[in-house]
Amino acid sequence: MNENSEGDGAAADLNLSEEDRRLYREVLDESIDLPAEDARLERLRELGVIFTEPLTKQLGTRSLPHAERTFYQREIAEIARHAERIREIAPILDALARETDGQETGTGNAVEILRAKKDINSIIFDAIERSDYVWSSQTGPRSPEGLQRSITRDMALLGQGVQYRNIYPTSARTRLPETEYARLTSGTGNAEARTSSRRYARMILTESVGVVSDIRVGEGAAEPAIIIRDPALLAWLMEMFGREWETADPWFPDPADGDAVSDRELVERDILVLLSEGNTRNAICRKLEISERTYSNYTAALRERYRARTNEQLMFAWGKRRQP
C-alpha cells in the first residue's frame, strides 16, 4: 500500500543517503521483496516513509513530503520539551541578575566560576565538613587514585552521621573501584548509591554550597566549576537532583524487593521509554551514550522478546504489557 506516493524532492531535507533513496524507490515501485524487519529499512522507518501494514504485514510507503512534515513535527515536539526545561531556569537568571546589580546575599557571592582545581576542592571539602548531607552525581569514571583519597575522608564523615546520596552512570557497575567504593560507603547505612543510563549534570550539593561542572568532561579534567551559594538556586538544584534520583536504580537493591536488575535490562528499559517518547535512534544513542550497534542489537532482542517485527509493533506490545 502506498499512501499518496510522490517524488523524492524532500529526500535532501530528510538527509536520505543514496542507498536509502534506492530502497525507498524499489519498495515504492514494488520491484523488491524485503522482509518487514530488514535492518536496511531502519532509517526509512524512523522517518516514517516506510511502514508495515498491520493486517497484511506487508511493506507500505508514505510520500516524502508527508514524512518530512511528520519529521519536523517530532523535532518541534522535542524543542518544546527542551523549552519547558529552559523555563525552569528562571531562578538562575534571577540570582545572576541580583549578582550583576551588586546586591548582597547572606552567603557571599551568589554565583561564581572557578577554574583552579585547588580552589574548587577547598570550597567542596569545607562545605562537606559543615553539612549534614552531601548529594552528588558523576558523569564519567572516577579514578582509582581519587577514590582511594576519598574513601578515608568519606567513611569518617559517614561515621559522624553525614548522609550521602550518589548517582553514577550505569557503566560504573562494570568498574571494580567504583563498585567497591559504593559498596563500602553504602555499608555504613548512611550512604545510598544509584545508577542511571540517562545523561545529567555533574554536581555536588550541600546545605550551603552547590558545585556544578561541565557535563562533557569527566573527573580530574581542568573544566571550570560553577559555585552556587544562593538559597533559591540551591533549592532548584536540589529539586533537579531529586527528579534524577527518583528515576535512578538502586545499586544494591533491598533483597526484599526481588531479584536485582541486570545492567542490560536497565538500558533496554530506557530504550523503550525513549522510543515511546518519539526519540529517534540517533537521539537515543546520544542520550544513553551507547553505540548504534548496541542500539540495533538491543532493539532487535526486544522485538524478538515481544514478538514484534518493527519498532511500532514493539511499542504496541510493550504498551499492552504495561497496562494494569
Side-chain angles (χ1 to χ4, degrees):
M1 174 181 177
N2 299 324
E3 299 181 359
N4 190 29
S5 299
E6 304 172 20
D8 58 357
D13 291 333
L14 294 174
N15 293 321
L16 291 181
S17 67
E18 287 299 325
E19 175 66 11
D20 288 334
R21 297 188 201 192
R22 184 185 63 78
L23 282 171
Y24 173 77
R25 285 193 290 267
E26 289 181 352
V27 173
L28 176 65
D29 298 337
E30 299 182 351
S31 61
I32 188 173
D33 185 18
L34 290 175
E37 64 274 15
D38 194 298
R40 290 176 294 172
L41 301 175
E42 187 170 1
R43 172 66 177 164
L44 296 173
R45 285 189 183 285
E46 286 183 357
L47 295 173
V49 297
I50 282 183
F51 63 96
T52 303
E53 288 283 352
L55 298 178
T56 65
K57 309 300 182 186
Q58 298 298 311
L59 291 176
T61 61
R62 296 188 179 94
S63 70
L64 291 172
H66 170 87
E68 184 184 16
R69 287 193 298 271
T70 303
F71 174 78
Y72 284 124
Q73 286 169 355
R74 290 180 181 174
E75 291 294 307
I76 290 171
E78 182 71 13
I79 292 170
R81 283 195 288 269
H82 284 298
E84 182 63 29
R85 298 194 69 178
I86 290 172
R87 280 192 287 271
E88 296 174 344
I89 305 179
I92 290 181
L93 300 179
D94 292 340
L96 289 173
R98 289 197 297 273
E99 186 73 4
T100 302
D101 293 340
Q103 297 182 12
E104 296 294 330
T105 68
T107 54
N109 294 332
V111 178
E112 62 178 320
I113 297 177
L114 297 179
R115 289 180 171 80
K117 188 175 180 181
K118 181 180 178 181
D119 294 340
I120 296 169
N121 287 340
S122 176
I123 290 174
I124 292 173
F125 296 154
D126 181 64
I128 289 175
E129 290 178 356
R130 294 185 290 107
S131 183
D132 290 331
Y133 63 82
V134 180
W135 291 6
S136 70
S137 59
Q138 300 291 332
T139 57
R142 298 187 66 184
S143 68
E145 296 79 11
L147 287 169
Q148 191 63 40
R149 289 193 298 269
S150 298
I151 191 63
T152 302
R153 181 193 69 243
D154 292 342
M155 292 295 285
L157 290 169
L158 290 167
Q160 296 171 14
V162 178
Q163 303 292 311
Y164 276 34
R165 281 186 174 182
N166 301 316
I167 301 179
Y168 294 86
T170 299
S171 58
R173 293 172 179 257
T174 65
R175 296 189 287 269
L176 183 59
E178 285 163 279
T179 300
E180 287 303 309
Y181 172 87
R183 192 182 304 279
L184 282 171
T185 53
S186 298
T188 66
N190 287 331
E192 186 176 354
R194 295 189 177 186
T195 63
S196 174
S197 294
R198 292 180 178 269
R199 293 174 63 104
Y200 42 81
R202 179 171 175 247
M203 66 177 73
I204 298 175
L205 303 176
T206 69
E207 294 173 65
S208 59
V209 174
V211 180
V212 180
S213 59
D214 195 334
I215 190 173
R216 298 168 298 173
V217 186
E219 181 187 26
E223 79 270 25
I226 305 172
I227 311 298
I228 298 167
R229 296 185 178 89
D230 182 82
L233 284 178
L234 279 174
W236 179 78
L237 287 173
M238 295 295 291
E239 181 182 351
M240 293 296 101
F241 183 96
R243 292 182 188 179
E244 296 293 346
W245 182 260
E246 291 302 318
T247 61
D249 301 285
W251 199 330
F252 308 108
D254 188 328
D257 295 336
D259 296 335
V261 180
S262 70
D263 298 345
R264 177 171 181 134
E265 289 174 311
L266 294 175
V267 178
E268 287 179 344
R269 182 201 59 195
D270 285 342
I271 288 175
L272 288 168
V273 171
L274 291 172
L275 279 173
S276 71
E277 294 173 353
N279 288 276
T280 64
R281 172 183 55 186
N282 290 340
I284 293 173
C285 291
R286 184 178 67 253
K287 291 178 180 180
L288 300 185
E289 295 184 321
I290 59 176
S291 67
E292 292 192 8
R293 168 175 264 180
T294 297
Y295 169 85
S296 297
N297 290 339
Y298 281 23
T299 51
L302 285 166
R303 288 194 295 268
E304 181 177 355
R305 186 182 312 155
Y306 284 89
R307 298 183 178 179
R309 304 178 75 180
T310 67
N311 285 347
E312 291 89 347
Q313 293 176 2
L314 172 61
M315 288 293 93
F316 179 76
W318 181 60
K320 286 184 64 176
R321 288 200 189 182
R322 296 180 71 195
Q323 293 176 354

